[in-house]
Structure formats: structure tokens, C-alpha cells
Amino acid sequence: MSELTARQQRFVEEYLVDPIGAQAAIRAGYSARAAAVTAYQLLKKPAIAAAIAKAKAERSERTRIDADWLLTRLAAEAEADLGDLYDENGDLKPIREWPAIWRQGLVTDVEISALYEGTGKERREIGHVKKVKFAERLRRLELIGKHIRINAFKEIVEHKGLSALAERLERAQRRSEGNDGEAE
């Protein structure tokens, strides 16, 4: 595998942050005017593709987050039992007693307001109103469905003019092959 230039390495790093090639190319220091073509050319280079794949694998190993982790997490969140938040009297448990899955993202907000009766010196607290806002669990099921390719979750995207774009990219590639300085 050939060694990457500094700008190509920067492109690899930026591509991991945001896999929109043109944006990664611009942030890596390539011309904004030709960013899409440059990114297309860079991504076709075996050394750059290998560097991106290697960097992604290293990131997954470092963070221990990969497709299996994500799918397992989504499944746990989708299956989390709302009953785990309540005690045997139907009262909301203290947050510290909630299962971790609820504390780590399924509950987005908790609001507790005291209820009072009487006025002045006669005023006394008689209870609390507890409002809990939950994350959208249906979205997790949709993400799982997309991951395992359930057709009901497949988005239909219509592409028009792709052949014209492909022709423009090929012409740009032929021009740049004569001037290989831009995509190093």
C-alpha cells in the first residue's frame, strides 16, 4: 500500500467525521469548486479506501461500538419495560432505582412539581406531580428494521439525472488525469 500525502490523510480523517466526500475534501484543504469530483477520485484510490476502512475498524475497536453493539442497544431499548420505573404501589421509583437502559437515553426529561393546599401559614405540601418524557421508541424499531432490511422500512428514493452526473464525473476525471496535482 502506497503512503498517503498529508492532505490525503487529512481527507481520510475528515471522511470519518462526515462521510460526505465533498465536505471532507474541502475540510482537508482541497478546492471547494472541485470538491465533489476530487472526493470521488480520492475515494476510488485503493490506498485511500484501505486507509478509511482501517481507520473505521480501529475506531470500532477503540470505542467498542460496531453494528452488533448498536443493534443490541437498539433491541434493549425497544424491549425495555416501562413497568420497571414504578414500584408495587404504582408510584414512580426514584431515578437512581431505574434500570440503566432508562437512565441512558430512553427518558429525555423528568419534571417534578409539588402540590400545595391552603394559603399563607396554612399552606402545606400534599403531594407531587411527576411528568416523565420518553424518547420515541418506534424510531428504534424503524432503525432495527432498516438494519435487517425489512422492506416495509425501505425508503424509496428516485434518482433523476444520474447518467448526466456520471458523464460529468468521467469528463472531470479525464481532465484531472492530465493534471493530477489537485487530488494528489
Side-chain angles (χ1 to χ4, degrees), residues 96-153:
R96 68 182 173 278
E97 294 179 18
W98 293 359
I101 197 74
W102 287 98
R103 294 190 317 264
Q104 296 172 346
L106 285 178
V107 173
T108 61
D109 190 29
V110 177
E111 184 180 315
I112 302 173
S113 304
L115 294 176
Y116 296 95
E117 91 176 341
T119 58
K121 291 183 179 181
E122 305 293 317
R123 186 174 181 203
R124 67 184 181 97
E125 188 176 311
I126 59 169
H128 294 90
V129 174
K130 300 174 182 177
K131 295 179 184 177
V132 179
K133 292 183 183 176
F134 300 104
E136 189 178 346
R137 292 173 72 169
L138 185 58
R139 177 73 177 132
R140 284 155 176 79
L141 293 173
E142 183 181 337
L143 291 170
I144 292 168
K146 284 182 178 180
H147 179 78
I148 59 174
R149 292 185 175 92
I150 293 177
N151 287 335
F153 294 114

Side-chain angles (χ1 to χ4, degrees), residues 27-146:
R27 288 192 311 274
Y30 291 98
S31 164
R33 187 178 53 83
V37 172
T38 301
Y40 174 78
Q41 292 170 348
L42 289 169
L43 290 168
K44 284 180 38 178
K45 293 181 181 241
I48 292 176
I52 289 171
K54 181 180 178 205
K56 282 181 177 180
E58 288 171 351
R59 179 179 60 190
S60 288
E61 189 173 320
R62 202 172 45 252
T63 62
R64 295 185 179 178
I65 296 175
D66 57 13
D68 288 341
W69 179 90
L70 181 61
L71 192 56
T72 300
R73 172 67 187 226
L74 287 170
E77 289 178 359
E79 293 175 348
D81 184 0
L82 185 61
D84 291 341
L85 303 181
Y86 296 90
D87 64 19
E88 58 280 346
N89 298 320
D91 294 325
L92 196 61
K93 291 179 182 178
I95 293 172
R96 68 182 173 278
E97 294 179 18
W98 293 359
I101 197 74
W102 287 98
R103 294 190 317 264
Q104 296 172 346
L106 285 178
V107 173
T108 61
D109 190 29
V110 177
E111 184 180 315
I112 302 173
S113 304
L115 294 176
Y116 296 95
E117 91 176 341
T119 58
K121 291 183 179 181
E122 305 293 317
R123 186 174 181 203
R124 67 184 181 97
E125 188 176 311
I126 59 169
H128 294 90
V129 174
K130 300 174 182 177
K131 295 179 184 177
V132 179
K133 292 183 183 176
F134 300 104
E136 189 178 346
R137 292 173 72 169
L138 185 58
R139 177 73 177 132
R140 284 155 176 79
L141 293 173
E142 183 181 337
L143 291 170
I144 292 168
K146 284 182 178 180

